[in-house]
Amino acid sequence: MNSVNMFSPIVKSLLVALLAVSATASAAPKIDPAKGASLFTDGDAARGLPACVSCHGAGGNSTITVNPKLAGQHEAYLYKQLVNFTTADRNQPVMTTYAKMLTDEEKHNIAAWLVTQKPNPGAAKNKDTVELGKKIYRGGIAEKSVPACASCHGATGAGIPVQYPRIAGQHQDYTVAELGLFKAGTRKSLEMAPIAKRMSDEEMKAVADYMAGLK
């Protein structure tokens, strides 16, 4: 038997795989953080797209406590959320409107720029609940089957790219609001929704305040 003919199916399969990888690589967006910075800072008046800075602050450090700080957030997570805003997974009146106006490449560009920005630190404010918040964050609530927040978001709140966001220093008001959305099922998540449903409002506020002081 001719050895070339015997191995030709294998060779063909490898060639097909290599071509597929090559096509995927060439189709990947060319990420440009500088363009992301421009959109974040100036928006695009021609499309009626406002500057992200108006809600999320200079460099992604929001001073409006109901709007999240985005500086230093994981690039892949930010991109994923911008995509989610265009689906039923995270429908939100303001962000859904603007996320749908962005191209896929622009979503990547904004996320790539924000991850390079230095987040301003936050601080816990309620001394009466900080120990409860610390206990929930580090050890969870065993009797309610609530796992430790640290098990996914890390001991310092740094998170894990794509899956779990950086939550250190985040505004208390924003964190409490998002936990409420998870609890109500308005924001979809197979992991956070069941956890939030087992928590009381007081527990949410306590852990949100503790998280705000993480660095």
Side-chain angles (χ1 to χ4, degrees):
M1 182 181 290
N2 189 307
S3 60
V4 173
N5 289 334
M6 181 176 68
F7 288 106
S8 61
I10 298 174
V11 173
K12 288 179 181 178
S13 296
L14 288 172
L15 285 171
V16 169
L18 286 170
L19 286 170
V21 170
S22 177
T24 301
S26 62
K30 295 181 179 178
I31 300 174
D32 189 338
K35 288 182 179 179
S38 179
L39 268 178
F40 188 92
T41 305
D42 303 317
D44 186 347
R47 286 185 287 167
L49 182 67
C52 311
V53 68
S54 60
C55 289
H56 293 287
N61 281 294
S62 167
T63 57
I64 304 170
T65 61
V66 293
N67 294 336
K69 296 178 183 178
L70 303 178
Q73 187 58 269
H74 303 302
E75 181 178 344
Y77 180 80
L78 284 169
Y79 169 74
K80 182 176 182 292
Q81 295 311 304
L82 285 171
V83 172
N84 284 354
F85 278 123
T86 68
T87 72
D89 288 338
R90 197 173 180 188
N91 197 310
Q92 200 269 354
V94 176
M95 281 306 304
T96 293
T97 298
Y98 299 139
K100 286 181 176 180
M101 296 172 69
L102 295 170
T103 65
D104 191 64
E105 187 173 318
E106 288 170 337
K107 291 181 177 70
H108 275 291
N109 291 343
I110 291 171
W113 179 70
L114 281 168
V115 72
T116 67
Q117 302 306 294
K118 185 178 180 180
N120 290 340
K125 299 176 181 178
N126 193 336
K127 64 180 182 180
D128 295 327
T129 65
V130 70
E131 283 304 315
L132 173 60
K134 180 179 179 180
K135 179 182 177 181
I136 295 171
Y137 189 87
R138 294 187 176 183
I141 310 171
E143 62 274 21
K144 292 185 176 182
S145 298
V146 171
C149 310
S151 62
C152 291
H153 294 283
T156 62
I160 301 173
V162 186
Q163 288 181 294
Y164 309 115
R166 170 189 168 83
I167 44 102
Q170 189 58 268
H171 293 306
Q172 289 93 330
D173 290 344
Y174 174 76
T175 300
V176 170
E178 292 306 297
L179 286 172
L181 292 177
F182 283 127
K183 187 172 187 175
T186 306
R187 182 175 175 182
K188 311 297 181 184
S189 170
L190 294 175
E191 295 161 307
M192 282 305 305
I195 292 171
K197 286 177 181 177
R198 301 184 194 120
M199 297 178 70
S200 68
D201 291 346
E202 291 72 21
E203 289 164 342
M204 289 181 185
K205 290 176 182 177
V207 77
D209 190 54
Y210 176 75
M211 284 159 46
L214 290 175
K215 295 178 176 60

